[in-house]
Coordinates of all heavy atoms in Angstrom, one line a residue:
R176 N 9.9 -10.6 -2.1 CA 10.5 -9.3 -1.8 C 10.8 -8.5 -3.1 O 10.6 -7.3 -3.2 CB 11.8 -9.5 -1.1 CG 11.7 -9.8 0.4 CD 13.0 -9.6 1.2 NE 13.9 -10.6 0.8 CZ 14.1 -11.8 1.4 NH1 13.3 -12.1 2.4 NH2 15.0 -12.7 1.0
M177 N 11.2 -9.2 -4.2 CA 11.4 -8.6 -5.5 C 10.1 -8.0 -6.0 O 10.1 -6.9 -6.5 CB 12.0 -9.5 -6.5 CG 13.5 -9.9 -6.1 SD 14.2 -11.2 -7.2 CE 14.3 -10.3 -8.7
L178 N 9.0 -8.8 -5.9 CA 7.7 -8.3 -6.4 C 7.3 -7.1 -5.5 O 6.7 -6.1 -6.1 CB 6.7 -9.4 -6.3 CG 6.9 -10.5 -7.3 CD1 6.0 -11.7 -7.0 CD2 6.6 -10.0 -8.8
A179 N 7.5 -7.2 -4.2 CA 7.1 -6.0 -3.4 C 7.9 -4.8 -3.7 O 7.4 -3.7 -3.7 CB 7.3 -6.4 -1.9
D180 N 9.2 -5.0 -4.0 CA 10.0 -3.8 -4.3 C 9.5 -3.2 -5.7 O 9.5 -2.0 -5.8 CB 11.5 -4.2 -4.5 CG 12.1 -4.5 -3.1 OD1 11.6 -4.1 -2.1 OD2 13.2 -5.2 -3.1
A181 N 9.2 -4.0 -6.6 CA 8.6 -3.5 -7.9 C 7.3 -2.8 -7.6 O 7.1 -1.7 -8.2 CB 8.4 -4.7 -8.9
S182 N 6.5 -3.3 -6.7 CA 5.2 -2.7 -6.4 C 5.5 -1.3 -5.7 O 4.8 -0.3 -6.0 CB 4.4 -3.6 -5.5 OG 3.2 -2.9 -5.1
A183 N 6.5 -1.3 -4.9 CA 6.9 0.0 -4.2 C 7.3 1.0 -5.2 O 7.0 2.2 -5.0 CB 7.9 -0.3 -3.1
A184 N 8.1 0.5 -6.2 CA 8.5 1.5 -7.2 C 7.4 2.1 -8.0 O 7.3 3.3 -8.2 CB 9.5 0.8 -8.2
R185 N 6.4 1.2 -8.3 CA 5.2 1.7 -9.0 C 4.4 2.7 -8.1 O 3.9 3.7 -8.5 CB 4.3 0.6 -9.3 CG 4.8 -0.3 -10.5 CD 3.7 -1.2 -11.1 NE 3.2 -2.1 -10.1 CZ 3.7 -3.3 -9.8 NH1 4.8 -3.7 -10.5 NH2 3.2 -4.1 -8.9
E186 N 4.4 2.4 -6.8 CA 3.7 3.2 -5.8 C 4.3 4.6 -5.7 O 3.7 5.6 -5.6 CB 3.6 2.6 -4.4 CG 2.7 1.3 -4.4 CD 1.2 1.6 -4.5 OE1 0.8 2.8 -4.5 OE2 0.5 0.7 -4.7
Q187 N 5.7 4.6 -5.8 CA 6.4 5.9 -5.7 C 6.0 6.7 -6.9 O 5.9 8.0 -6.8 CB 7.9 5.6 -5.7 CG 8.4 4.9 -4.4 CD 8.4 5.8 -3.2 OE1 8.2 7.0 -3.3 NE2 8.5 5.2 -2.1
L188 N 5.9 6.1 -8.1 CA 5.5 6.8 -9.3 C 4.1 7.4 -9.1 O 3.7 8.4 -9.7 CB 5.6 5.9 -10.5 CG 7.0 5.5 -10.9 CD1 7.0 4.6 -12.1 CD2 7.9 6.7 -11.2
D189 N 3.2 6.6 -8.3 CA 1.9 7.1 -8.1 C 1.8 8.4 -7.4 O 0.8 9.1 -7.4 CB 1.1 6.0 -7.4 CG 0.8 4.8 -8.2 OD1 0.8 4.9 -9.4 OD2 0.5 3.8 -7.6
E190 N 2.9 8.8 -6.7 CA 2.9 10.1 -6.0 C 2.7 11.2 -7.0 O 2.1 12.2 -6.7 CB 4.2 10.3 -5.3 CG 4.5 9.3 -4.2 CD 5.8 9.5 -3.5 OE1 6.3 10.7 -3.5 OE2 6.4 8.6 -2.9
L191 N 3.1 11.0 -8.2 CA 3.0 12.1 -9.3 C 1.5 12.3 -9.6 O 1.1 13.3 -10.1 CB 3.7 11.7 -10.5 CG 5.2 11.5 -10.4 CD1 5.8 11.1 -11.7 CD2 5.9 12.8 -9.9
A192 N 0.7 11.3 -9.2 CA -0.8 11.4 -9.5 C -1.5 12.0 -8.3 O -2.7 12.1 -8.3 CB -1.4 10.0 -9.8
G193 N -0.7 12.5 -7.3 CA -1.3 13.2 -6.2 C -2.3 12.3 -5.4 O -3.3 12.8 -4.9
L194 N -2.0 11.0 -5.2 CA -2.8 10.1 -4.4 C -4.2 9.9 -5.0 O -5.2 9.7 -4.4 CB -2.9 10.6 -3.0 CG -1.7 10.3 -2.1 CD1 -1.9 10.9 -0.7 CD2 -1.4 8.9 -2.0
R195 N -4.3 10.1 -6.3 CA -5.5 9.8 -7.0 C -5.6 8.4 -7.5 O -6.7 7.9 -7.9 CB -5.7 10.8 -8.2 CG -5.9 12.2 -7.8 CD -6.4 13.0 -9.0 NE -5.3 13.1 -10.1 CZ -4.3 14.0 -10.1 NH1 -4.2 14.9 -9.1 NH2 -3.4 14.0 -11.1
Q196 N -4.5 7.6 -7.4 CA -4.5 6.2 -7.7 C -3.4 5.5 -6.9 O -2.6 6.2 -6.3 CB -4.3 6.0 -9.2 CG -2.9 6.5 -9.7 CD -2.8 6.4 -11.2 OE1 -3.8 6.2 -11.9 NE2 -1.6 6.4 -11.7
G197 N -3.4 4.2 -6.9 CA -2.5 3.5 -6.1 C -3.2 2.5 -5.2 O -4.4 2.3 -5.3
S198 N -2.4 1.9 -4.3 CA -3.0 0.9 -3.4 C -2.2 0.8 -2.1 O -1.1 1.2 -2.1 CB -3.1 -0.5 -4.0 OG -1.8 -1.0 -4.3
V199 N -2.9 0.4 -1.1 CA -2.2 0.1 0.2 C -2.6 -1.2 0.7 O -3.8 -1.6 0.7 CB -2.6 1.2 1.3 CG1 -1.9 0.9 2.6 CG2 -2.2 2.6 0.8
R200 N -1.7 -2.0 1.2 CA -1.9 -3.3 1.8 C -1.7 -3.2 3.3 O -0.5 -3.1 3.7 CB -1.1 -4.4 1.1 CG -1.2 -4.5 -0.4 CD 0.0 -5.2 -1.0 NE 1.2 -4.5 -0.7 CZ 2.4 -5.1 -0.9 NH1 2.5 -6.3 -1.5 NH2 3.5 -4.4 -0.7
L201 N -2.8 -3.4 4.1 CA -2.7 -3.2 5.5 C -3.1 -4.6 6.2 O -4.1 -5.2 5.8 CB -3.6 -2.1 6.0 CG -3.7 -1.9 7.5 CD1 -2.4 -1.4 8.1 CD2 -4.8 -0.9 7.8
G202 N -2.3 -5.0 7.2 CA -2.7 -6.2 7.9 C -3.0 -5.9 9.3 O -2.5 -4.9 9.9
A203 N -3.9 -6.7 9.9 CA -4.3 -6.4 11.3 C -5.0 -7.7 11.9 O -5.6 -8.4 11.1 CB -5.3 -5.3 11.4
P204 N -4.9 -7.9 13.2 CA -5.6 -9.0 13.8 C -7.1 -8.8 13.8 O -7.6 -7.6 13.7 CB -5.1 -9.0 15.3 CG -3.8 -8.2 15.2 CD -4.0 -7.2 14.2
P205 N -7.9 -9.8 13.9 CA -9.4 -9.6 13.9 C -9.9 -8.7 15.0 O -10.9 -7.9 14.8 CB -9.9 -11.0 14.1 CG -8.9 -11.9 13.5 CD -7.6 -11.2 13.9
T206 N -9.3 -8.7 16.2 CA -9.7 -7.8 17.3 C -9.5 -6.4 16.9 O -10.3 -5.5 17.5 CB -8.9 -8.1 18.6 OG1 -7.5 -8.0 18.3 CG2 -9.3 -9.5 19.1
L207 N -8.6 -6.0 16.0 CA -8.5 -4.6 15.6 C -9.3 -4.3 14.4 O -9.7 -3.2 14.2 CB -7.0 -4.3 15.3 CG -6.1 -4.3 16.6 CD1 -4.6 -4.1 16.2 CD2 -6.5 -3.1 17.5
C208 N -9.6 -5.3 13.6 CA -10.4 -5.1 12.4 C -11.8 -4.7 12.7 O -12.5 -4.0 12.0 CB -10.4 -6.3 11.5 SG -8.9 -6.5 10.5
V209 N -12.3 -5.2 13.9 CA -13.7 -4.8 14.3 C -13.7 -3.5 15.1 O -14.8 -3.1 15.6 CB -14.3 -6.0 15.1 CG1 -14.4 -7.2 14.3 CG2 -13.6 -6.2 16.4
S210 N -12.6 -2.9 15.3 CA -12.6 -1.7 16.1 C -11.8 -0.6 15.4 O -12.3 0.1 14.6 CB -12.0 -2.0 17.5 OG -10.7 -2.6 17.5
L211 N -10.5 -0.5 15.7 CA -9.7 0.6 15.2 C -9.6 0.7 13.7 O -9.7 1.7 13.1 CB -8.3 0.5 15.9 CG -7.2 1.6 15.5 CD1 -7.7 3.0 15.9 CD2 -5.9 1.3 16.0
V212 N -9.4 -0.5 13.1 CA -9.2 -0.5 11.6 C -10.4 0.0 10.9 O -10.2 0.7 9.9 CB -8.8 -2.0 11.2 CG1 -8.8 -2.1 9.7 CG2 -7.5 -2.4 11.7

């Protein structure tokens, strides 16, 4: 959780870059990865 919070803080700073950098971690079941995802 502490590492995630630190990552979130870095991501908030990435807003200043206008979404030109940063990352997103998305999870999904396999049935959605072959369709919606």
Side-chain angles (χ1 to χ4, degrees):
R176 283 195 292 270
M177 291 174 68
L178 291 170
D180 288 344
S182 177
R185 288 194 299 270
E186 294 289 350
Q187 294 289 347
L188 294 176
D189 288 341
E190 294 182 26
L191 299 176
L194 286 176
R195 291 191 297 272
Q196 61 183 21
S198 64
V199 179
R200 302 163 301 168
L201 177 68
T206 53
L207 289 173
C208 283
V209 299
S210 53
L211 181 63
V212 171

